[in-house]
Amino acid sequence: FPSHDIGHSLFPNPACNRLYIRGNENGDAIVLLSDGRSINLRIMRAAGQSYVDISSIPNGLHRIGLREDSKVVWYSFYKR
């Protein structure tokens, strides 16, 4: 999947339970798991920060797609 930088940042990377997102404050994210399955996660907001709860996905290298207008921007992250 191509990656395009349109102002998002993900942290921490690697992440345990929450993956914080700067630059996309609402909506949904698509996570492509390392085994090929995809899941939709809601972007949550708490204490002024946006995040997705990744506690239920397995450890490993995954891709996250963030919807921005009519496109999806892909990033890699590691769940530990």
Side-chain angles (χ1 to χ4, degrees):
F1 297 98
S3 291
H4 305 284
D5 185 4
I6 57 173
H8 296 114
S9 62
L10 304 176
F11 61 96
N13 194 4
C16 289
N17 296 317
R18 289 183 176 181
L19 182 64
Y20 290 91
I21 302 166
R22 192 172 289 139
N24 187 351
E25 301 194 355
N26 52 40
D28 295 321
I30 304 165
V31 176
L32 295 178
L33 303 176
S34 55
D35 66 6
R37 293 180 295 141
S38 67
I39 57 172
N40 290 316
L41 295 176
R42 184 92 182 128
I43 297 174
M44 309 298 289
R45 194 148 170 81
Q49 294 187 313
S50 300
Y51 68 92
V52 289
D53 180 351
I54 59 170
S55 61
S56 64
I57 69 173
N59 293 348
L61 182 63
H62 307 290
R63 303 275 291 165
I64 185 168
L66 302 174
R67 291 184 179 100
E68 185 72 27
D69 298 322
S70 61
K71 31 185 174 175
V72 176
V73 182
W74 293 97
Y75 298 92
S76 295
F77 72 95
Y78 190 82
K79 162 72 175 3
R80 58 181 166 113

